[in-house]
Amino acid sequence: MTSFRRFALAVCVIGMLVQLLLTAYYLGMGHKAAPHRLPVGLVATGEPAEQVRTMLEAEDKFAVRDFGSVDALTTAIRERDVYGGVDLTEDTPMLYVASAAGASAATLLRATYTSVMQQQTAKQLAALAEVSVAQAEALITPPPVTDVVPLPADDVNGVSLGFLTQALSLGGSIASMGLGRLIPKARRSWKRGVLHLSLLILYAIGSAAAVLWSMSWFNVGEGANQTEMLLIFSLISLAITGSTAGAVALIGPAGALVGIFYFTIGTVISGASILPEFLPTFGRRLGENLPTGAGVQAVRDNLYFPDAPIGGHLLVLALYATIGCLVVLITNILPNRKNSTSELNIGTATSPLS
């Protein structure tokens, strides 16, 4: 009875400690998300440019880049070099945003732009002794906004990528643990290693196909290149599953914590729900170098920003997948120190009773 009480107490204490740590982590990352040098563009010259730059760069919220023309600005938006920008070269200023890059960034840019324009309007009104009806109407008209890369109508909040990442993370973790328990029933050999690796790859392709199929039910990703999306989702799944399986192969069942880490920690800082520039520096750096973060950015670029380079994100995913799969292959080939008999005789055609 005493041992049971101690075990129950330990479980409760560990549960409360995990809950405390996760709560502190989630709140620390997202309870007061604020921009940190969010890259934006500016098409302007002279005194107006300096005034707007000073307003935008106050408190390090924005990092302003100069562009010589609107075409250069919109190209940078489509390549995800900046989240948006403003053109002050015409009589009527124009704001350019990309909702598909992140609804929070687009909303922030709209609010900031409106605030800046209101300040400029107030100065103009104060400087005018007499204001005509036409001048007043022009000054109080809401500033125009152009959404260069809007979100699709079926994903107005831009949250689909977060849900897809969570599904891939959880599914990959479960698959890694299941395969990790199945494969050790066979004697260690190159055949066992190839079998384990083949199952991981097949699962990655199957999970990617399942994600794409479920996306089609809700018209998410409609019009995207399905082959490219299948390959990217397969690489994400293999990066998560392979690295988790590699950890399980090295240290045993405790290695499954890698998959749990991706699901509980990695999805929050993946950039799906909270943009990387709205995260603390630590969360941003860690998130973009995890399979979840690299996967979200690769999918976002492929879906909405085909002009943006995704080689860096794919490299991160490929490294996780390759290293994890190599660990799985090598640990399965290494001889079993106990030389225990095989429960599953891989590659043997005859019955063990014959």
Side-chain angles (χ1 to χ4, degrees):
M1 190 66 175
T2 302
S3 60
F4 172 78
R5 290 176 179 174
R6 289 177 179 175
F7 178 75
L9 178 61
V11 169
C12 291
V13 170
I14 292 173
M16 288 187 293
L17 181 60
V18 170
Q19 182 176 339
L20 175 64
L21 293 175
L22 286 178
T23 301
Y25 170 73
Y26 292 147
L27 292 178
M29 290 295 153
H31 87 290
K32 194 177 180 181
H36 305 284
R37 298 188 59 78
L38 188 78
V40 296
L42 178 63
V43 183
T45 57
E47 185 177 349
E50 292 303 320
Q51 291 177 350
V52 172
R53 179 187 296 275
T54 300
M55 293 179 184
L56 291 176
E57 292 185 340
E59 302 178 4
D60 265 353
K61 289 185 177 181
F62 298 95
V64 180
R65 289 181 52 189
D66 291 315
F67 292 92
S69 66
V70 172
D71 288 341
L73 172 62
T74 54
T75 297
I77 293 174
R78 291 190 178 93
E79 293 178 350
R80 288 195 68 196
D81 288 335
V82 294
Y83 280 88
V86 62
D87 172 27
L88 301 178
T89 59
E90 302 295 333
D91 293 337
T92 302
M94 174 70 74
L95 174 68
Y96 296 86
V97 299
S99 298
S104 56
T107 301
L108 174 66
L109 284 171
R110 286 189 175 95
T112 304
Y113 177 60
T114 301
S115 175
V116 170
M117 290 299 103
Q118 287 176 342
Q119 293 179 41
Q120 296 295 318
T121 299
K123 291 180 180 178
Q124 293 179 43
L125 287 172
L128 293 174
E130 296 181 359
V131 182
S132 66
V133 174
Q135 287 175 316
E137 288 179 347
L139 290 174
I140 64 175
T141 300
V145 178
T146 298
D147 199 337
V148 180
V149 188
L151 280 166
D154 292 305
D155 188 20
V156 292
N157 295 317
V159 298
S160 297
L161 292 181
F163 297 147
L164 296 176
T165 304
Q166 287 182 326
L168 284 170
S169 299
L170 183 59
S173 302
I174 294 174
S176 297
M177 289 186 285
L179 291 173
R181 293 181 63 86
L182 173 65
I183 297 299
K185 293 183 177 181
R187 185 190 302 274
R188 295 192 180 195
S189 66
W190 69 269
K191 291 182 180 180
R192 175 173 131 169
V194 170
L195 174 63
H196 197 169
L197 189 58
S198 299
L199 289 175
L200 289 174
I201 294 173
L202 287 174
Y203 171 80
I205 297 173
S207 65
V211 168
L212 281 176
W213 187 31
S214 64
M215 288 170 60
S216 67
W217 301 345
F218 306 97
N219 297 322
V220 176
E222 188 177 18
N225 187 308
Q226 296 299 302
T227 302
E228 291 181 359
M229 292 303 301
L230 178 65
L231 292 175
I232 292 175
F233 278 127
S234 297
L235 185 56
I236 296 172
S237 182
L238 187 60
I240 293 172
T241 310
S243 56
T244 303
V248 171
L250 281 177
I251 61 177
L257 291 174
V258 171
I260 296 174
F261 176 83
Y262 293 152
F263 180 72
T264 58
I265 305 297
T267 54
V268 177
I269 54 178
S270 65
S273 301
I274 306 174
L275 292 177
E277 288 80 7
F278 284 69
L279 291 167
T281 303
F282 168 76
R284 176 182 179 180
R285 298 303 181 195
L286 178 61
E288 64 189 9
N289 288 295
L290 290 176
T292 46
V296 163
Q297 301 309 319
V299 173
R300 189 193 300 276
D301 287 349
N302 187 265
L303 280 177
Y304 307 131
F305 299 88
D307 295 335
I310 63 173
H313 307 314
L314 297 182
L315 177 61
V316 172
L317 294 171
L319 286 174
Y320 275 92
T322 302
I323 294 173
C325 289
L326 282 176
V327 170
V328 167
L329 186 61
I330 293 172
T331 54
N332 277 287
I333 292 176
L334 291 177
N336 192 335
R337 289 177 296 178
K338 295 182 180 180
N339 197 29
S340 57
T341 57
S342 172
E343 296 183 40
L344 293 178
N345 202 359
I346 300 176
T348 301
T350 58
S351 170
L353 298 177
S354 58

